[in-house]
Amino acid sequence: MSSPVLSVRGLTTEFVTPAGVVKAVNDVSWDLFPGETLGVVGESGSGKSVTAMSILGLIQSPPGRITGGEILFEGRDLLTMPTKELRRLRGSEIGMIFQDPMTSLNPVLTVGAQISEALRLHDRKMSKDAARTRAVELLTMVGVPNPEGRFDQYPHEHSGGMRQRAMIAMAIANDPKVLIADEPTTALDVTIQAQVLDVLKTAKERTNAATILITHDLGLIAEHADRVVVMYGGKVVEVADVFSIFAAPRHPYTLGLMSSLPRLDVDLARLDPIPGAPPNLIDLPPGCSFHPRCRVSKGRELCRTEVPPLYDTGNGARAACHFSEEVPAEMAVVSREMGARLGSSGA
């Protein structure tokens, strides 16, 4: 396998609040390889977006602070890089698609002006006319109708889907090596979601950028990701290829996510959610932070007292579970229970 284009090593990001220190990202490590799409999944508050913002150096201080780790982009540590050099990388070699384009786009500048600015900021020799031509090409590439006219319109004159397309155009304007998409289909209806994801897929193919797809939607992960990082309580709890994650998860939290998905072959009145609530990041439970909600732990002392490392589970996969070898058997139990409910439902 080739060397990673981006490596996160032991990243820890905290926020100081009146209630205490929030450990939003807690000793997180993973690699992103050239050309791949790495899916990052987990419940709200699991640390997905904070990891992305840490990579880009966008953690506001105070209250946020990065207290440990390395973020290596082609061997260069972004955490120790001079601010001027980091700004040069943002928007050129590392592109970002934010969750909400309405708040990410400047409301007093036209969409075209903002794309042109992204181009000229990283190419001082580019003329205004050349930037306009390139911006119109980008809007065309991402499927914006009437790109010449849309160029001169403001963000509020665009629909949600059109604004997100403009954000994608801006993110890929300088052919980045890494593209981060943070919940790129938030607040869009299903039809527009599909269109935006097709645009994102096309953009990735044209730029060959390694992509980080941050989402809570496992359907998007199944369709678009090559490998998956599962986060819980600010930590990575499982890393595996996308087929292993869905067919044979090795962490109980991942199994819980799979079990809570709606299915077309089961007619049930309600879904099967993970019991309990996500952990308090100010006061994490001792041992494995998932053990209070875990159906594999069964109250065992090891789970309650020792934080599990990321054990090697084979084929390059890792899982932070003391009893990961028991998860497949528990998955079989879940399947039987689902089958029994299917039979009792008369479907």
Side-chain angles (χ1 to χ4, degrees):
M1 184 176 288
S2 59
S3 299
V5 64
L6 182 70
S7 294
V8 177
R9 293 283 178 268
L11 178 66
T12 300
T13 304
E14 301 175 343
F15 293 88
V16 179
T17 73
V21 177
V22 176
K23 297 178 181 178
V25 174
N26 191 355
D27 193 24
V28 163
S29 298
W30 45 256
D31 293 318
L32 176 68
F33 293 92
E36 80 165 343
T37 295
L38 180 70
V40 181
V41 300
E43 295 169 290
S44 296
S46 62
K48 308 183 301 297
S49 295
V50 175
T51 300
M53 300 298 274
S54 300
I55 292 170
L56 293 165
L58 296 177
I59 298 296
Q60 185 175 351
S61 178
R65 62 192 184 192
I66 297 175
T67 60
E70 297 178 320
I71 302 173
L72 303 176
F73 175 71
E74 296 186 325
R76 295 169 288 174
D77 189 355
L78 300 182
L79 298 183
T80 60
M81 183 177 289
T83 302
K84 185 176 181 180
E85 188 175 352
L86 182 58
R87 285 176 177 168
R88 185 186 65 79
L89 286 177
R90 283 197 303 250
S92 59
E93 297 190 65
I94 303 177
M96 178 75 178
I97 303 167
F98 293 95
Q99 287 190 33
D100 184 2
M102 193 59 189
T103 57
S104 302
L105 293 170
N106 191 326
V108 300
L109 294 177
T110 65
V111 166
Q114 294 180 65
I115 299 175
S116 296
E117 181 183 32
L119 290 163
R120 299 187 72 202
L121 184 65
H122 298 286
D123 184 355
R124 298 290 185 179
K125 297 180 180 180
M126 180 176 283
S127 67
K128 287 185 178 181
D129 288 342
R132 181 185 178 97
T133 299
R134 174 59 177 157
V136 170
E137 289 175 357
L138 288 164
L139 289 172
T140 303
M141 182 190 303
V142 298
V144 172
N146 185 23
E148 286 278 2
R150 293 287 188 178
F151 180 97
D152 295 312
Q153 291 183 335
Y154 291 89
H156 73 270
E157 297 179 277
H158 291 237
S159 67
M162 288 300 106
R163 286 193 293 267
Q164 195 62 288
R165 289 168 190 256
M167 282 291 300
I168 295 173
M170 196 180 306
I172 66 172
N174 295 292
D175 296 325
K177 295 177 181 178
V178 172
L179 184 61
I180 303 173
D182 186 5
E183 300 279 8
T185 58
T186 296
L188 300 178
D189 65 54
V190 175
T191 303
I192 303 301
Q193 281 185 19
Q195 294 173 2
V196 168
L197 287 167
D198 285 342
V199 168
L200 184 60
K201 183 177 180 181
T202 300
K204 178 186 180 301
E205 291 171 350
R206 295 198 181 190
T207 61
N208 197 35
T211 302
I212 302 169
L213 177 59
I214 300 170
T215 182
H216 61 273
D217 189 334
L218 293 173
L220 302 189
I221 293 298
E223 186 173 355
H224 296 278
D226 301 305
R227 288 191 307 123
V228 184
V229 170
V230 182
M231 294 189 68
Y232 180 80
K235 297 181 74 71
V236 173
V237 296
E238 186 163 10
V239 182
D241 67 84
V242 67
F243 301 105
S244 298
I245 284 289
F246 282 89
R250 295 298 296 272
H251 193 280
Y253 175 61
T254 312
L255 174 59
L257 292 178
M258 300 296 119
S259 302
S260 63
L261 286 173
R263 290 170 49 173
L264 295 176
D265 61 336
V266 180
D267 183 16
L268 297 174
R270 62 190 300 271
L271 299 178
D272 187 16
I274 301 172
N280 181 352
L281 297 180
I282 296 176
D283 185 21
L284 289 169
C288 174
S289 58
F290 186 63
H291 85 261
R293 310 173 70 188
C294 181
R295 60 185 293 156
V296 173
S297 170
K298 298 178 173 63
R300 284 181 279 199
E301 183 178 2
L302 187 61
C303 300
R304 293 185 283 108
T305 57
E306 292 190 23
V307 177
L310 278 168
Y311 294 103
D312 185 354
T313 56
N315 298 321
R318 293 175 295 156
C321 178
H322 295 301
F323 302 101
S324 61
E325 71 280 358
E326 297 180 16
V327 175
E330 194 63 34
M331 186 175 183
V333 171
V334 171
S335 296
R336 286 197 298 271
E337 290 175 352
M338 188 70 74
R341 282 188 283 173
L342 173 60
S344 64
S345 70

